[in-house]
């Protein structure tokens, strides 16, 4: 006996996302690839335009307003202009690595977006398929792997350029990515513990609804987004995603005031455009990942979630794009508001604050999850969180006290140096040769300084 069509559709709708994607025909997969590529390219053009307009308003100056309505075609014109410029390859560079480096930086940024779910299961030309290109049991690790691969493009660009500025920019980028990718990976662990999976679709499903409660006869739900339940992880990731993309205030690999242009100093034409494109694609990817892991993915925010049709059909794509735009605006806001920090401050923030805080928070979450699984009381959350906050406060206070002690010691040493200046043997300022006299004229030495003797200042 065969199942009815309605039951078959219900079984298909409840099947795991990865199983549905595996049964996509080749032409549907090709359409998804083209849509993802076109979306990233169009989003990059709009992001560049929006960044110029927003920063222009923040700095009380007009943004692009000539090419097209409201300057919308300015980014497109720049994209056409760059490949048409002369492509200069300096002498002495490693030509193979010099040419490959921009592609190595750009391609992983495109691949990372493949595992981002932008909507639920929909029907496309009669085929039910998720709005996601690919899903893996370890999908989030793919993003970390691609970000690690992307930094090779920056490092190789600095190495192959045979320029000290480019080399320093590449070295800075490698150290920065190592520092902040460790903290980013640690911030993911509590999300995995709560969702029980590394699959992006399963993580989005885990944030669909919180525990229900009744209010004036209506059934509502407690917050289920991991940005609320795992706030420290969300804050750590929000900082590290800015460091991963080399954006202000963490754009030390470029550092125009120190390194001219950093790793892309010697690049021009299409190769420079690829580095430019890779930066913005990475911004879109990490913002989409933040939406997926911490803001419920394509699920709507309350009170829109009260509407029963808000999480079905094509509406979730709109909610996903709204959350994505919020993070992209954050990048623009930071660039227009904060100055570039020093490199030692960058390393100190990553190694002495973000990584220890992430480890302590992950240890607390792991302990509490095991405690809850064994039937422990929810009150242990409050006690454990208090212990962690006290430990973090003690660690930071010790660090600040050490910095204050070092500063006071330096000020004391400087004061001692200034005090020693008065005891240094300084010759008297009323010697005869200061007044143009020789030491053999004793009669004039007894005269007052205002006796009419002129000071000799020249030959």
């Amino acid at each position: 006996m065969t199942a009815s069509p309605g039951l078959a559709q219900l079984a298909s709708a409840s099947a795991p996302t990865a199983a549905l994607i595996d049964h996509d025909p080749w032409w549907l997969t090709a359409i998804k690839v083209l849509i993802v590529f076109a979306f990233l390219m169009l989003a990059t053009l709009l992001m560049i335009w929006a960044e110029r307009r927003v920063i222009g308003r923040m700095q009380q100056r007009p943004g692009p307003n000539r090419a097209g309505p409201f300057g919308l075609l300015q980014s497109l014109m720049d994209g056409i202009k760059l490949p048409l410029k002369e492509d200069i390859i300096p002498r002495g560079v490693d030509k193979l690595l010099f040419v490959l480096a921009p592609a190595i930086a750009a391609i992983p940024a495109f691949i990372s977006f493949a595992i981002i779910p932008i909507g639920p299961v929909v029907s496309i030309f009669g085929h039910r398929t998720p709005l996601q290109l690919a899903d893996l049991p370890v999908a989030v690790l793919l993003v970390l792997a691609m970000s690690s691969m992307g930094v090779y493009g920056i490092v190789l660009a600095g190495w192959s350029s045979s320029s000290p500025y480019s080399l320093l920019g590449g070295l800075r980028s490698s150290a920065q990515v190592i520092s902040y990718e460790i903290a980013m990976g640690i911030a993911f662990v509590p999300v995995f513990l709560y969702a029980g999976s590394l699959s992006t679709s399963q993580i989005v499903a885990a944030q669909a609804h919180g525990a229900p409660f009744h209010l004036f006869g209506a059934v509502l739900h407690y917050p289920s987004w991991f940005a609320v339940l795992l706030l420290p992880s969300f804050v750590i990731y929000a900082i590290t995603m800015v460091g991963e993309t080399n954006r202000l205030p963490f754009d030390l690999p470029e550092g125009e005031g120190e390194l001219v242009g950093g790793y892309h100093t010697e690049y021009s034409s299409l190769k420079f455009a690829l580095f430019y494109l890779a930066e913005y694609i990475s911004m879109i990817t990490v913002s989409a990942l933040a939406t997926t892991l911490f803001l419920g993915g394509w699920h709507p925010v309350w009170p829109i979630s009260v509407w029963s049709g808000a999480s079905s059909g094509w509406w979730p794509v709109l909610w996903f794009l709204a959350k994505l735009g919020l993070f992209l605006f954050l990048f623009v806001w930071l660039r227009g508001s904060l100055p570039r920090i020093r490199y030692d401050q960058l390393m100190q923030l990553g190694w002495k604050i973000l990584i220890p805080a992430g480890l302590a928070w992950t240890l607390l979450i792991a302990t509490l999850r095991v405690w809850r699984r064994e039937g422990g009381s929810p009150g242990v959350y409050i006690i454990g969180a208090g212990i962690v906050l006290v430990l973090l406060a003690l660690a930071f206070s010790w660090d600040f006290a050490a910095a204050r002690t070092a500063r006071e010691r330096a000020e004391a040493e400087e004061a001692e140096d200034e005090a020693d200046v008065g005891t240094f043997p300084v010759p008297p300022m009323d010697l005869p040769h200061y007044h143009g006299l020789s030491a053999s004229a004793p009669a004039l030495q007894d005269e007052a300084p205002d006796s009419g003797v002129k000071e000799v200042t020249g030959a």
Side-chain angles (χ1 to χ4, degrees), residues 229-445:
L229 301 177
L230 304 172
L231 181 60
S233 295
F234 176 64
V235 173
I236 293 174
Y237 177 80
I239 297 174
T240 56
M241 75 177 187
V242 181
E244 280 281 301
T245 53
N246 299 328
R247 293 277 300 185
L248 271 171
F250 301 144
D251 63 337
L252 276 303
E254 299 177 14
E256 295 88 351
E258 309 165 14
L259 305 179
V260 183
Y263 59 91
H264 56 66
T265 300
E266 305 296 337
Y267 282 89
S268 59
S269 188
L270 182 60
K271 299 183 184 63
F272 174 78
L274 287 178
F275 280 119
Y276 203 68
L277 177 65
E279 178 179 325
Y280 281 88
I281 296 296
S282 298
M283 290 168 51
I284 298 171
T285 300
V286 297
S287 299
L289 187 63
T291 300
T292 301
L293 298 184
F294 295 100
L295 294 188
W298 44 264
H299 289 290
V301 65
W302 188 87
I304 301 177
S305 59
V306 177
W307 174 36
S308 58
S311 297
S312 60
W314 295 88
W315 284 107
V317 178
L318 179 61
W319 320 139
F320 178 84
L321 294 178
K323 298 174 186 178
L324 179 64
L326 179 64
F327 280 103
L328 293 178
F329 176 76
L330 176 64
F331 278 101
V332 178
W333 187 17
L334 292 178
R335 179 178 179 181
S337 304
L338 300 180
R340 182 183 297 116
I341 67 175
R342 297 198 315 264
Y343 193 72
D344 61 321
Q345 295 173 335
L346 175 74
M347 292 292 103
Q348 182 178 4
L349 176 62
W351 288 101
K352 300 183 69 175
I353 297 179
L354 295 182
I355 293 178
L359 288 173
W361 174 249
T362 301
L363 180 61
L364 172 64
I365 291 298
T367 304
L368 296 181
R369 294 297 288 177
V370 173
W371 181 270
R372 289 286 292 169
R373 183 176 300 177
E374 298 297 329
S377 172
V380 73
Y381 281 84
I382 302 176
I383 299 175
I387 294 174
V388 171
L389 290 176
V390 170
L391 292 177
L392 291 177
L394 291 176
F396 292 154
S397 62
W398 177 83
D399 192 15
F400 294 151
R404 184 174 65 253
T405 302
R407 184 170 61 253
E408 292 176 353
R409 185 182 299 112
E411 293 176 355
E413 292 178 355
E414 182 179 357
E416 292 179 359
D417 294 340
E418 293 178 355
D420 291 340
V421 171
T423 60
F424 190 83
V426 179
M429 302 302 295
D430 57 347
L431 292 177
H433 65 274
Y434 285 120
H435 304 284
L437 303 176
S438 62
S440 59
L444 295 178
Q445 292 181 7

Side-chain angles (χ1 to χ4, degrees), residues 71-92:
L72 282 171
L73 298 180
Q74 183 63 54
S75 300
L76 179 61
M77 296 299 103
D78 292 340
I80 296 175
K81 175 187 68 175
L82 279 174
L84 298 179
K85 285 183 171 292
E86 182 180 3
D87 188 10
I88 300 174
I89 300 180
R91 288 181 294 182

